[in-house]
Amino acid sequence: METGTIHLVGAGPGSPDLLTLRAARLIETASLIVHDGLVDPSILAMARSDARLVSVAKQRSKHTLPQDEINALLVHEALAGRDVVRLKGGDPFVFGRGGEEMEAAQAAGVRVEIVPGISAANGAAAASGIALTHREDASIVSFVAGQCKGLSDQDWSGLAGVGRTLVIYMGVKTAPQIAEKLMADGLAPDMPIAVVENACRPEMRVLRGPLAGLPDLVMAEAVQSPALIIIGHVTARGDAAIAPLLLEATL
């Protein structure tokens, strides 16, 4: 029996219009799609009517399947001769655990194709009018995960500040610790920040304020995942006029 292929596909930040052509074709023709919870329903609706859709959605401290079992599922289906579309929000190699799934497939001798997607950071920046780099404000961009183990022990010094932009994924629940950590590392309490919730979707919101007010902003506005926190002077340059569906709040 011929082994199938695992396609690690980035679904982008939300809208089907932001899929790559390759991603759209794979979704439309796949017989099996294993997808994350952040994949927009409108993208899943593109699948053919007889496709098998398997959700492996993850939430903070609660996974439908542990990562090792997801890896095993993908490999099992491919070894049974089935092609698998592993569909992930954003890009599979940016906090998407795509590297782990690729390595598991390779260890089992299964073919893997990587189909990149627009990352959550790029999508949120474009939709909200926040340029992650700007000649006057930032020539360095860093991406970090705000939900990983040992957050307080990580060294983020130098990742944010003058001339830099810091993008924090999965940081809504840990916003108080993030603000405290960055200010303890020397970042000014009045450093501009933005929280982009549901980027590239009709319900998108951009919430702005100072770093010291980040925890209160997240709480007062009841921010929910998916959301990114962007820290740096570039966040003060966003132009809401480019996003007519944008709802803004400030604190």
Side-chain angles (χ1 to χ4, degrees):
M1 179 185 299
E2 184 176 356
T3 301
T5 299
I6 297 174
H7 305 273
L8 302 180
V9 181
S15 171
D17 290 345
L18 297 177
L19 290 168
T20 64
L21 290 175
R22 178 62 177 158
R25 289 166 183 157
L26 284 169
I27 293 166
E28 290 168 347
T29 59
S31 60
L32 173 60
I33 299 176
V34 179
H35 64 89
D36 286 347
L38 293 179
V39 176
D40 196 87
S42 61
I43 292 176
L44 296 176
M46 297 169 58
R48 64 193 219 193
S49 60
D50 63 342
R52 178 183 166 205
L53 303 182
V54 178
S55 173
V56 291
K58 296 183 179 72
Q59 296 177 354
R60 181 175 172 84
S61 302
K62 182 180 179 181
H63 295 179
T64 303
L65 283 180
Q67 187 61 49
D68 288 347
E69 293 186 27
I70 295 174
N71 297 348
L73 170 64
L74 300 175
V75 169
H76 172 78
E77 294 291 344
L79 290 177
R82 287 179 281 274
D83 290 339
V84 185
V85 168
R86 174 68 172 104
L87 193 58
K88 300 168 174 287
D91 181 272
F93 278 3
V94 181
F95 299 118
R97 301 193 182 184
E100 297 174 47
E101 294 170 357
M102 178 186 70
E103 290 165 1
Q106 291 173 336
V110 173
R111 293 187 299 274
V112 182
E113 178 192 7
I114 313 300
V115 181
I118 294 175
S119 71
N122 286 342
S128 60
I130 297 172
L132 296 180
T133 64
H134 193 286
R135 286 197 300 167
E136 295 183 17
D137 283 324
S139 59
I140 298 173
V141 183
S142 299
F143 302 137
V144 300
Q147 189 175 294
C148 54
K149 295 180 180 179
L151 177 62
S152 60
D153 296 328
Q154 294 182 46
D155 183 7
W156 287 6
S157 58
L159 296 184
V162 176
R164 298 171 182 266
T165 302
L166 178 62
V167 181
I168 303 173
Y169 284 66
M170 302 168 285
V172 171
K173 299 296 184 182
T174 54
Q177 296 94 318
I178 288 170
E180 181 180 355
K181 179 181 183 64
L182 289 171
M183 287 187 290
D185 284 343
L187 207 59
D190 63 353
M191 171 64 71
I193 63 97
V195 180
V196 185
E197 179 188 60
N198 288 309
C200 302
R201 299 177 182 180
E203 63 270 30
M204 182 179 80
R205 293 192 297 169
V206 177
L207 314 174
R208 303 174 193 265
L211 175 60
L214 173 61
D216 291 338
L217 179 62
V218 168
M219 180 177 292
E221 295 296 330
V223 176
Q224 299 294 318
S225 179
L228 288 179
I229 300 169
I230 305 175
I231 297 173
H233 289 292
V234 294
T235 64
R237 291 181 171 272
D239 182 4
I242 71 165
L245 294 176
L246 181 64
L247 301 177
E248 287 215 12
T250 57
L251 183 66

